[in-house]
Amino acid sequence: MTSHQSTQTMKPATAAKKLGVYLEATPAEFRDGVVSRAELNELQANPPQWLQDLRRNGPHPRPVVAAKLGVSIAGLARAGVTEPLTTEQIEALKQEGPEWLERERTTQAEVRKEAARIKKKNAEHQA
């Protein structure tokens, strides 16, 4: 019996998510096709200029915006930030330091601290 290895492909939205870029900002040939696992690996290993530019300047998807601001995706939503932001817009927000950003950063820090406490507690119980 021979095994037939089919090429694993993914939708452009999935590939964009794995690459950390906003799908609508990618080139049409990327958005309109399918991406194989090998193509994704190649994009990650040797990003073309368009991918380098998107990663550097944006617009960035919500998970990337949240990470760059040090808040959660839910925190962005609570603040009414629903659109992708460019690196320049993110830096401007950091400079402005709006009250919601400080509040969400504090909340995020507390969540991380609590998660670390629980992880430590669970590790002690298993030891």
Side-chain angles (χ1 to χ4, degrees):
M1 183 189 296
T2 60
S3 64
H4 178 63
Q5 180 90 18
S6 65
T7 303
Q8 182 182 7
T9 61
M10 61 192 82
K11 295 178 184 174
T14 303
K17 187 174 183 177
K18 290 179 180 287
L19 293 169
V21 296
Y22 181 57
L23 176 63
E24 300 305 316
T26 61
E29 60 268 13
F30 181 85
R31 288 192 310 270
D32 297 340
V34 293
V35 180
S36 71
R37 173 63 63 185
E39 290 169 331
L40 178 68
N41 290 341
E42 180 61 24
L43 286 169
Q44 289 172 323
N46 300 303
Q49 191 61 48
W50 65 264
L51 182 53
Q52 292 176 38
D53 292 344
L54 273 180
R55 286 178 168 168
R56 182 176 33 260
N57 304 320
H60 303 288
R62 284 182 304 162
V64 174
V65 172
K68 287 179 178 279
L69 290 173
V71 300
S72 66
I73 294 172
L76 287 178
R78 283 190 292 271
V81 179
T82 57
E83 296 297 316
L85 299 178
T86 63
T87 300
E88 189 175 303
Q89 291 169 314
I90 292 169
E91 291 305 316
L93 268 175
K94 288 179 178 179
Q95 292 297 317
E96 292 169 18
E99 186 267 332
W100 70 264
L101 181 57
E102 298 308 317
R103 182 178 63 246
E104 291 299 337
R105 282 179 168 171
T106 301
T107 299
Q108 186 71 355
E110 289 170 2
V111 167
R112 286 188 186 119
K113 191 164 77 173
E114 180 64 8
R117 184 191 69 78
I118 291 170
K119 185 176 179 181
K120 181 180 177 186
K121 181 180 174 184
N122 287 342
E124 288 172 355
H125 285 289
Q126 291 177 355

